[in-house]
Amino acid sequence: MDYIEKAMQRAKAINCPNDTTFFQALREVLVSIKPLIDKHPNYTRHNIIERIISPNREIRFKIEWLDDKNEIQVNNGYRIQFNNALGPYKGGVRFHPTVNPDILKFLAFEQIFKNALTGLHIGGAKGGSDFDPKGKSDNEIMKFCQAFMSSFYNSIGSDIDILGGDIGVGEREVGYLFGQYKQLTNSYDSIITSKPLSLGGSLGRTEATGYGLIYFTQKLLEDRQETLKGKICTISGSGNVAIHAIEKLYDLGAIPVTCSDSRGSIHDSNGIDLALLKKIKLERRASLEYYALERKNAVYVKHEAYKNGSNYVWQIPCFAAFPCATQNELDAIGAQALIDNDVKLVSEGANMPSTPEAIELFVENGVLFAPAKAANAGGVAVSVLEMGQNNSLNYLTFEEVDQRLQQIMSDIYLHMKKTCDEYELGIDLIAAANILGFKRVADAMIAQGVL
Ligand code: NDP
């Protein structure tokens, strides 16, 4: 049995016996780094796989808070500080009822390599709570955020661990988390990014993940003498990433025709009405059903009404598909439908949105596939720019941030391309992203010795 297989079996038995999502992410990385491990025996000698797949620290805490009826509510909170070989831990916070240690370990593990791909000096972490922000008043959101921060503020710091946004955590929540940290420590320490501008946030951070996704895709296509101009694109999700991906697609002359939320999907063959989408999802925080009520030609399909639970969005013929909602939302049924409709490219905006079966189908059928680790790294890259601006007090204009973002996404692609050539990977961008990210982290771990 070779080193990778042995490490994987040990991981399944010890690190993640019940953590199926974490093991899915771990397996994808370990299988694809074989060319690197074979070429450099140094990594086996330093037992780097076993060291890299165990989180440095897993923090679990209880959050007690008072709702608007003055009743006491209790939630679970977590922070997975996975790896800080390259720099302080960095990763978002997710508030969603599905949050559990398995989901957070998968997200933190992915974050290590994504952060390494940006070429910036940050480690990987992720945190969150099973708190459901849906239906909560602004006061309840504030109370919960304050209680969340009170429970674990002494584990973070601008040189230790820096938080950020994710599903259910936008500017409003970030503002409350930051305010409570300041109150507890009497310090304006930059312990969280994606802050509102009034608290030292960066221009362009809100747009960064969605815009970065499209910049990365554009670079990939440019290299194949193709563009997005005039092309039909399908997008899932209707949150921060999806909305800004749609916005940038329009800027480049593409035609985004779908979006979705946790309840259903929209197909608007004339192109998604972005102003209406923003009004419904960002201002009213309402369901996409209202989109179809206001755009008579748009079709709304509830998820439970659609066959086998697969997402209706992937049944729509398109040139490029951008899953931007959540993990494992693009399954084999969706992938097959995209392939049958001659999709050319799938570019991941969400974290691990494609199931292993879907990826296998894309690879077998020669569909160009841009993995999340690389394609959605624009958000964390601009978060690091935000940290730099907070430390230097030298603030960038929107255009400067956007320029840097384009450069970072282009560099990620060019380094991956070089890795493809070096390890003879063809168009396997999953392996390229994993090898490149893994190598940077592993080299930093070896340089620091056994700790
Ligand atoms: P948001 O909370 O802003 O939006 C999430 C969107 O996905 C919402 O519209 C939500 O619907 C929808 N959604 C949730 N579950 C499902 C589902 N099962 N099917 C269809 N839609 C669903 O989150 P973000 O846009 O910030 O994050 C989206 C993804 O991108 C996540 O995987 C996140 O980890 C990843 N990501 C985000 C980054 C960022 O900078 N924000 C950075 C890198 C990755 P509803 O409105 O009904 O809740």
Side-chain angles (χ1 to χ4, degrees):
M1 198 189 307
D2 72 3
Y3 176 52
I4 292 181
E5 190 55 40
K6 221 158 71 191
M8 219 141 56
Q9 286 200 4
R10 194 173 140 75
K12 195 163 176 77
I14 297 169
N15 294 44
C16 35
N18 303 311
D19 295 341
T20 49
T21 321
F22 174 40
F23 191 71
Q24 180 187 335
L26 191 141
R27 192 185 163 78
E28 184 215 279
V29 171
L30 296 193
V31 167
S32 65
I33 58 167
K34 190 168 179 351
L36 176 80
I37 300 293
D38 288 348
K39 193 167 172 183
H40 303 282
N42 202 25
Y43 297 128
T44 308
R45 207 163 45 244
H46 285 273
N47 198 8
I48 209 72
I49 293 184
E50 265 192 62
R51 293 163 64 195
I52 223 169
I53 64 178
S54 284
N56 291 353
R57 282 177 90 197
E58 294 178 48
I59 307 167
R60 184 184 180 134
F61 45 96
K62 181 183 65 172
I63 306 153
E64 296 179 355
W65 57 283
L66 279 178
D67 69 14
D68 286 347
K69 293 187 213 119
N70 248 359
E71 285 173 7
I72 303 166
Q73 301 293 334
V74 183
N75 286 95
N76 295 315
Y78 311 91
R79 184 72 177 167
I80 313 291
Q81 296 179 333
F82 214 120
N83 187 296
N84 63 350
L86 279 175
Y89 300 109
K90 174 82 193 94
V93 171
R94 177 178 290 193
F95 292 163
H96 195 272
T98 58
V99 163
N100 60 41
D102 176 32
I103 298 286
L104 292 177
K105 266 190 266 177
F106 126 64
L107 288 166
F109 185 69
E110 292 281 295
Q111 196 80 40
I112 305 170
F113 306 109
K114 180 195 314 221
N115 291 1
L117 279 176
T118 63
L120 301 164
H121 280 275
I122 35 174
K126 202 82 185 191
S129 170
D130 53 11
F131 170 75
D132 187 357
K134 282 216 176 90
K136 303 290 190 301
S137 70
D138 193 55
N139 182 56
E140 288 176 322
I141 298 280
M142 182 178 76
K143 286 275 168 54
F144 175 78
C145 289
Q146 290 173 342
F148 181 91
M149 183 52 83
S150 297
S151 302
F152 94 121
Y153 72 98
N154 50 7
S155 298
I156 60 175
S158 55
D159 292 329
I160 303 168
D161 184 357
I162 304 105
L163 317 179
D166 194 78
I167 292 179
V169 179
E171 274 194 2
R172 173 180 60 164
E173 291 75 16
V174 166
Y176 293 147
L177 290 165
F178 180 70
Q180 183 69 356
Y181 182 85
K182 191 198 69 163
Q183 181 70 8
L184 292 165
T185 60
N186 198 26
S187 131
Y188 219 88
D189 206 10
S190 179
I191 48 86
I192 192 162
T193 56
S194 297
K195 292 185 288 293
L197 292 180
S198 59
L199 299 178
S202 174
L203 287 164
R205 173 59 188 92
T206 311
E207 295 83 355
T209 309
Y211 279 21
L213 170 70
I214 305 306
Y215 292 146
F216 184 88
T217 308
Q218 195 186 14
K219 202 75 205 160
L220 191 62
L221 289 173
E222 226 173 75
D223 214 17
R224 288 154 179 85
Q225 289 77 49
E226 261 289 9
T227 70
L228 285 162
K229 198 170 169 42
K231 304 289 192 332
I232 302 286
C233 297
T234 53
I235 295 94
S236 65
S238 51
N240 174 284
V241 179
I243 283 177
H244 295 103
I246 291 172
E247 190 165 274
K248 187 48 70 181
L249 282 169
Y250 273 128
D251 283 354
L252 299 180
I255 310 159
V257 294
T258 65
C259 59
S260 64
D261 64 13
S262 52
R263 288 184 223 164
S265 308
I266 287 285
H267 176 211
D268 189 338
S269 56
N270 293 338
I272 293 292
D273 180 336
L274 188 58
L276 178 60
L277 181 65
K278 283 186 177 178
K279 198 161 84 184
I280 291 170
K281 296 309 291 187
L282 300 183
E283 286 172 31
R284 292 195 219 150
R285 298 177 193 262
S287 155
L288 280 177
E289 265 171 280
Y290 293 97
Y291 183 99
L293 291 178
E294 294 197 35
R295 287 270 284 192
K296 295 292 174 224
N297 56 323
V299 177
Y300 176 73
V301 180
K302 276 192 173 168
H303 292 319
E304 69 257 25
Y306 201 65
K307 63 176 176 190
N308 300 334
S310 185
N311 198 330
Y312 172 69
V313 157
W314 314 126
Q315 308 298 315
I316 308 301
C318 63
F319 170 82
F322 298 90
C324 294
T326 191
Q327 63 272 2
N328 289 328
E329 53 159 323
L330 203 178
D331 58 8
I333 299 170
Q336 192 57 56
L338 284 166
I339 292 162
D340 292 345
N341 286 322
D342 206 21
V343 71
K344 293 287 180 281
L345 165 88
V346 175
S347 206
E348 296 187 318
N351 283 315
M352 207 170 73
S354 315
T355 64
E357 297 77 24
I359 294 175
E360 213 174 296
L361 282 169
F362 293 136
V363 172
E364 272 169 18
N365 288 276
V367 175
L368 205 49
F369 185 82
K373 267 184 214 88
N376 75 16
V380 73
V382 172
S383 283
V384 177
L385 297 185
E386 180 177 331
M387 288 153 60
Q389 293 171 78
N390 293 157
N391 291 337
S392 65
L393 301 180
N394 183 16
Y395 284 82
L396 304 173
T397 63
F398 182 90
E399 289 69 29
E400 285 168 330
V401 171
D402 194 46
Q403 202 60 44
R404 300 270 286 271
L405 173 63
Q406 290 185 47
Q407 188 60 52
I408 290 168
M409 299 316 290
S410 166
D411 287 349
I412 294 175
Y413 175 67
L414 293 175
H415 282 119
M416 284 167 65
K417 189 177 161 180
K418 213 167 130 208
T419 307
C420 280
D421 293 342
E422 190 181 341
Y423 292 90
E424 298 175 8
L425 303 173
I427 58 160
D428 187 351
L429 296 175
I430 300 178
N434 288 335
I435 287 175
L436 193 55
F438 187 95
K439 189 172 184 323
R440 285 180 179 160
V441 181
D443 289 346
M445 287 173 76
I446 291 170
Q448 287 169 40
V450 180
L451 303 170

